[in-house]
């Protein structure tokens, strides 16, 4: 399955888990990785829209990999979706470029899984926090898979990060195909 992985982290120099997860998929066969901050720095209006749209051609699955940033997407990823998912390309009368592709969200959080529960501090599950990604996927005709969340990533040990990596590998091999 040809896969495009879009990675974003607002503080790449502080990223341990996302860097490890990106490295885990970077050399897999049929996987293309585009790290937004590596390509564009922090310029949220500097995207090469044609190149970004071309990256989706021929892929079956798109993975968005990012840390939850104030219970939302990273600023760069939000700007990317605003600029790249254009009317006439992603949606609208002729906009079918994403239709039928699988969307997977791989995310890390600084907080615990309990924090992201009905009884937790934010009284919302990670699925609820990621509702805008699900709604966006469905709006453009993508299939939305269950997100893969790695909790307490900010202070994760090397062993925990290794477990995150293993979970990602397993998730990619079984996602939506099941």
């Amino acid at each position: 399955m040809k896969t495009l992985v879009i990675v974003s982290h607002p503080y790449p120099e502080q990223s341990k888990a996302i860097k490890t997860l990106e490295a885990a998929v970077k050399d897999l066969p049929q996987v293309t990785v585009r790290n937004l901050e590596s390509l564009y720095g922090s310029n949220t209006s500097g995207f090469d829209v044609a190149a970004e749209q071309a990256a989706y051609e021929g892929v079956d699955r798109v993975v968005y990999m990012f840390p939850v940033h104030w219970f939302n997407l990273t600023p760069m990823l939000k700007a990317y979706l605003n600029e790249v998912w254009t009317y006439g390309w992603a949606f609208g009368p002729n906009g079918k470029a994403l239709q039928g592709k699988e969307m997977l969200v791989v995310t890390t959080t600084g907080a615990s899984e309990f924090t992201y529960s009905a009884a937790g501090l934010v009284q919302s599950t990670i699925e609820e926090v990621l509702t805008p990604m699900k709604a966006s996927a469905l709006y453009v005709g993508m299939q939305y898979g269950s997100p893969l969340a790695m909790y307490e990533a900010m202070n994760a040990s090397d062993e925990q990060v290794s477990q995150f990596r293993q979970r990602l590998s397993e998730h990619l091999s079984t996602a939506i195909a099941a």
Side-chain angles (χ1 to χ4, degrees):
M1 177 178 279
K2 289 187 76 175
T3 302
L4 172 64
V5 180
I6 305 295
V7 180
S8 179
H9 195 296
Y11 312 107
E13 67 284 348
Q14 297 174 20
S15 170
K16 180 178 179 181
I18 293 293
K19 278 183 185 176
T20 300
L21 296 175
E22 179 181 359
V25 299
K26 190 169 85 175
D27 296 323
L28 292 177
Q30 299 193 46
V31 172
T32 301
V33 176
R34 296 189 65 79
N35 183 306
L36 299 180
E37 283 76 12
S38 293
L39 291 166
Y40 303 106
S42 59
N43 184 356
T44 57
S45 60
F47 301 108
D48 181 340
V49 173
E52 295 305 323
Q53 290 176 345
Y56 287 81
E57 292 176 13
V59 302
D60 307 296
R61 170 174 50 201
V62 183
V63 176
Y64 294 95
M65 185 181 297
F66 59 93
V68 170
H69 187 75
W70 282 107
F71 312 103
N72 209 325
L73 308 177
T74 65
M76 194 68 159
L77 183 55
K78 178 60 176 137
Y80 171 90
L81 294 175
N82 289 345
E83 296 292 320
V84 175
W85 284 28
T86 59
Y87 182 83
W89 179 79
F91 61 97
N94 299 314
K96 300 186 184 336
L98 301 173
Q99 198 166 44
K101 295 183 189 307
E102 181 180 312
M103 180 197 281
L104 295 174
V105 172
V106 175
T107 192
T108 59
T109 73
S112 69
E113 188 169 3
F114 179 76
T115 300
Y116 289 91
S117 70
L121 181 62
V122 299
Q123 299 177 11
S124 302
T125 64
I126 196 69
E127 289 82 4
E128 292 168 328
V129 170
L130 295 171
T131 296
M133 289 299 286
K134 178 180 180 180
S136 296
L138 297 175
Y139 187 75
V140 299
M142 296 178 87
Q143 299 172 31
Y144 185 76
S146 297
L148 177 61
M150 284 97 168
Y151 300 95
E152 300 181 74
M154 189 177 297
N155 298 313
S157 67
D158 291 342
E159 182 180 330
Q160 289 169 308
V161 172
S162 180
Q163 291 171 356
F164 293 166
R165 185 181 178 139
Q166 180 61 35
R167 285 181 55 212
L168 173 61
S169 176
E170 291 169 5
H171 194 75
L172 288 178
S173 66
T174 61
I176 296 182

